[in-house]
């Protein structure tokens, strides 16, 4: 697996991100979906990566800079055919290393609070993320679960 910066113009990446957005929308009501569309991922505050095995897209992830010391994990998604192969963990560790190199002290995230998001919450917890309250512009929402990890 090779994790590379960029790739938002690639058709496989676009299809995976569209599937991610559709999945989020199918599991949460409209006001509770915080997944970013392709245009939002192009914002200068966001760094995006794609994981590849040759020409095969395995997954993706992004880091949004909220402040110089706080980043937000966004758009973590593994292609269905690569589930349970360590793609998400590798992406998460790659993003965390980038955040540390940039001098960030924390990475926070928002994910779903109900069953379809249980595997994601378990992954984040296994990598040292702990539950926290809403951050940035988020508000308490029964469909949201917030986590953070101290990097320093």
């Amino acid at each position: 697996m090779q994790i590379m910066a960029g790739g938002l113009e690639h058709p496989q990446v676009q299809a995976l991100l569209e599937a991610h957005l559709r999945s989020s929308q199918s599991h949460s009501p409209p006001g509770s979906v915080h997944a970013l569309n392709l245009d939002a991922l192009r914002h200068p505050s966001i760094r995006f990566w794609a994981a590849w095995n040759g020409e095969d897209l395995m997954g993706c992830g992004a880091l949004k800079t909220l402040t110089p010391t706080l980043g937000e994990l966004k758009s973590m998604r593994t292609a269905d055919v690569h589930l349970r192969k360590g793609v998400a963990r590798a992406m998460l560790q790659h993003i965390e290393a980038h955040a540390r190199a940039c001098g960030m002290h924390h990475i926070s995230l928002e994910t779903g609070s109900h069953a379809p998001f249980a595997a994601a919450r378990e992954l984040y917890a296994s990598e040292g993320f702990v539950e926290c309250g809403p951050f940035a512009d988020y508000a308490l929402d029964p469909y949201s679960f917030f986590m953070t990890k101290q990097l320093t």
Side-chain angles (χ1 to χ4, degrees):
M1 173 179 4
Q2 183 178 15
I3 298 175
M4 300 169 46
L8 290 171
E9 302 307 320
H10 196 286
Q12 285 185 60
V13 170
Q14 291 177 0
L16 183 62
L17 289 169
E18 288 170 13
H20 178 61
L21 193 54
R22 278 193 314 274
S23 176
S24 296
Q25 292 167 339
S26 74
H27 295 299
S28 300
S32 298
V33 176
H34 302 288
L36 299 178
N37 66 26
L38 192 59
D39 288 337
L41 286 167
R42 290 188 175 108
H43 191 273
S45 66
I46 297 176
R47 180 95 189 246
F48 181 85
W49 293 270
W52 297 91
N53 181 9
E55 297 294 316
D56 188 24
L57 177 65
M58 299 180 80
C60 63
L63 180 68
K64 180 178 183 178
T65 300
L66 298 175
T67 72
T69 60
L70 174 61
E72 180 182 2
L73 189 66
K74 298 297 292 182
S75 301
M76 287 284 293
R77 183 68 178 208
T78 300
D80 289 346
V81 297
H82 295 293
L83 289 171
R84 288 172 268 301
K85 294 181 183 178
V87 175
R89 187 174 307 277
M91 181 62 71
L92 182 58
Q93 291 171 352
H94 181 86
I95 292 171
E96 183 179 323
H98 175 80
R100 285 180 191 276
C102 290
M104 290 185 180
H105 298 172
H106 290 87
I107 297 177
S108 296
L109 63 91
E110 181 277 337
T111 190
S113 62
H114 43 296
F117 300 94
R121 292 190 309 272
E122 290 172 14
L123 168 70
Y124 300 135
S126 76
E127 287 292 321
F129 283 79
V130 295
E131 184 177 357
C132 66
F135 60 95
D137 294 332
Y138 291 105
L140 283 176
D141 180 333
Y143 289 92
S144 288
F145 191 85
F146 303 99
M147 302 181 85
T148 194
K149 180 176 182 176
Q150 185 171 336
L151 302 178
T152 57

